[in-house]
């Protein structure tokens, strides 16, 4: 059974930090890209960051560049999103998702939603207070 399980969400003050985890199972982790997406109430889902489990390439939305870091621990089949200098506008449900890497894969295209993500987690809520 394919599973993506997010954890690490919670309430944090503006300027603080949180680390989200996405634990994957049931598929060949090294062949997939893992992306983080978020959706705030009343807003469209947006890509936040992604990483290739194969070669480690990463990408970030402009809104989080310089503040968020993504990493992959292939031995644990887990991807982490380190979020620093959090802002109230970062408040959203954060989802991790997986897509099989193809030769023309790019992190930018993944963040912009050009690839259909094959597997999705249930999400974890991040709330940033002013």
């Amino acid at each position: 059974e394919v599973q993506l399980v997010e954890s690490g969400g919670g309430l944090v003050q503006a300027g603080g930090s949180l680390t989200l985890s996405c634990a994957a199972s049931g598929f060949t982790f090294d062949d997939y890209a893992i992306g983080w997406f978020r959706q705030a109430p009343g807003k469209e889902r947006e890509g936040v960051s992604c990483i290739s489990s194969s070669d480690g390439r990463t990408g970030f939305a402009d809104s989080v560049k310089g503040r968020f870091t993504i990493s992959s621990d292939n031995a644990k089949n887990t991807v982490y999103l380190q979020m620093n200098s959090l802002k109230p506008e970062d408040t959203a449900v954060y989802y991790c998702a997986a897509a099989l890497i193809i030769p023309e894969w790019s992190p930018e295209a993944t963040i912009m939603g050009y690839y259909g993500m094959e597997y999705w987690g249930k999400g974890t809520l991040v709330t940033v207070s002013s």
Side-chain angles (χ1 to χ4, degrees), residues 48-76:
V48 178
S49 184
C50 64
I51 186 169
S52 167
S53 299
S54 177
D55 62 17
R57 285 185 291 162
T58 61
F60 299 90
D62 288 343
S63 60
V64 306
K65 285 181 179 177
R67 298 190 296 121
F68 291 11
T69 300
I70 192 168
S71 61
S72 178
D73 186 340
N74 287 21
K76 297 181 178 179

Side-chain angles (χ1 to χ4, degrees), residues 11-17 67 84-91 127-130:
L11 175 64
V12 64
Q13 293 181 339
S17 299
R67 298 190 296 121
N84 301 315
S85 301
L86 283 162
K87 304 174 181 179
E89 51 263 45
D90 294 318
T91 296
T127 303
V128 184
S129 62
S130 302

